[in-house]
Amino acid sequence: HVQLVESGGGSVQAGGSLRLSCELSGNTYSRHCLGWFRQAPGKERERVAAVYTGGGTPRYAAFMSDRFTISAPHNGESATFLQMTNLTPDDTALYTCAAGKLGWTCAGDWKASDFEHWGRGTQVTVS
């Protein structure tokens, strides 16, 4: 059973940076699509970025600029990271990591319903 634990959130001023981590445990020898989602108060959850641990080009939400970068685990690592730079108050949200269904490579329209394992999230607050 795959488990995901996020960390790295916090409070920063606008223009600052944060690096979120998603530690993967359990069935880590299998390849997964790992994704980051976020949900701000009063808003729907939206996708941020996704990457397949077996390699390939990362996927980003259409509205994402180059401020965010997702990286996949490699060389025996068990964590994926989301590097966020030049943060704005609009980035304030609960950021959650998710693992996709076994065998799915992040292909297609990567929706929340394609992910079956979820962490509890880490809060990011930008002021």
Side-chain angles (χ1 to χ4, degrees):
H1 180 69
V2 174
Q3 293 181 317
L4 303 148
V5 178
E6 304 92 338
S7 62
S11 297
V12 296
Q13 292 186 339
S17 299
L18 283 173
R19 186 181 189 230
L20 305 184
S21 299
C22 174
E23 187 71 30
L24 186 70
S25 62
N27 194 14
T28 57
Y29 59 85
S30 298
R31 301 299 186 186
H32 293 275
C33 175
L34 297 180
W36 284 97
F37 291 77
R38 70 183 186 182
Q39 187 168 18
K43 295 185 178 180
E44 293 188 355
R45 181 173 54 193
E46 62 181 358
R47 59 189 185 184
V48 175
V51 66
Y52 180 55
T53 61
T57 302
R59 309 287 304 278
Y60 293 95
F63 67 88
M64 282 292 152
S65 65
D66 56 0
R67 297 185 300 119
F68 290 14
T69 303
I70 189 172
S71 60
H74 60 89
N75 296 332
E77 293 177 342
S78 60
T80 184
F81 304 97
L82 184 68
Q83 179 69 48
M84 306 186 297
T85 62
N86 196 20
L87 289 163
T88 73
D90 288 340
D91 295 316
T92 295
L94 180 69
Y95 285 72
T96 305
C97 178
K101 300 172 183 177
L102 195 61
W104 177 54
T105 62
C106 302
D109 187 18
W110 48 289
K111 305 178 297 295
S113 59
D114 293 317
F115 295 81
E116 60 180 6
H117 304 285
W118 293 81
R120 294 188 176 184
T122 184
Q123 179 67 38
V124 172
T125 302
V126 186
S127 59

